[in-house]
Amino acid sequence: MADKQEDFLKANSFAVLTDGSKPAMKWAVNELDKRGKKVSVIEVSSGSTDISEIPDDVENIIVGVTAVDPADLIMSLREKGFEHFWVHWNTDTPGVREICAEGGINCITGKCPMMYLGNDFSIHGIHRALAKLTGNY
């Protein structure tokens, strides 16, 4: 199961869509930067689904917003040709789950990217160890 998450993080370029409501998004950006990944951070505000700032060469998109429905963002991004999404834990919606179930895109939901990016001696590393022990990694 973790192969999907680990493969997602092997990409070279990411867009991170955030509205500041999830601190883990900032941490994910920092960890991706440390790994030499190209990261574009896109601030999303309430009522805004403008994704025109996302470079065309972005491979994978991490979405962690609560001010707007992430499903609206994913729909717009699909229309631009993006296919690989990670919707941060506790921000997916029924619309996101429906879009992901339709197929045609790769979508990760229900997981925090930091569980896969955090170092072993952090709260995220402890979370990872517990998830592995319980078969939820």
Side-chain angles (χ1 to χ4, degrees):
M1 176 93 169
D3 291 341
K4 185 175 182 179
Q5 290 86 339
E6 291 167 358
D7 286 345
F8 183 94
L9 295 171
K10 288 179 184 175
N12 292 313
S13 61
F14 294 84
V16 176
L17 280 59
T18 180
D19 59 12
S21 64
K22 293 295 205 181
M25 300 306 287
K26 182 178 179 182
W27 300 331
V29 168
N30 291 339
E31 286 298 322
L32 290 167
D33 280 338
K34 285 180 191 176
R35 294 169 188 222
K37 308 295 183 170
K38 180 181 172 189
V39 183
S40 299
V41 179
I42 310 300
E43 296 291 330
V44 177
S45 62
S46 180
S48 170
T49 57
D50 180 23
I51 43 84
S52 62
E53 297 176 42
I54 299 175
D56 291 334
D57 64 346
V58 163
E59 297 172 69
N60 293 346
I61 299 175
I62 301 173
V63 182
V65 298
T66 58
V68 298
D69 188 339
D72 295 338
L73 297 171
I74 292 172
M75 290 297 292
S76 296
L77 292 163
R78 279 177 63 184
E79 290 172 8
K80 274 190 80 171
F82 295 104
E83 299 178 340
H84 307 282
F85 301 93
W86 187 321
V87 181
H88 189 277
W89 168 77
N90 246 6
T91 63
D92 63 331
T93 62
V96 168
R97 290 186 289 277
E98 183 178 320
I99 292 167
C100 293
E102 288 175 8
I105 61 170
N106 297 316
C107 194
I108 299 170
T109 61
K111 304 275 183 188
C112 174
M114 283 306 297
M115 186 166 77
Y116 301 87
L117 290 169
N119 69 49
D120 289 340
F121 300 106
S122 69
I123 189 67
H124 299 101
I126 294 167
H127 183 200
R128 179 175 46 251
L130 291 172
K132 285 180 176 182
L133 283 172
T134 61
N136 293 315
Y137 183 68

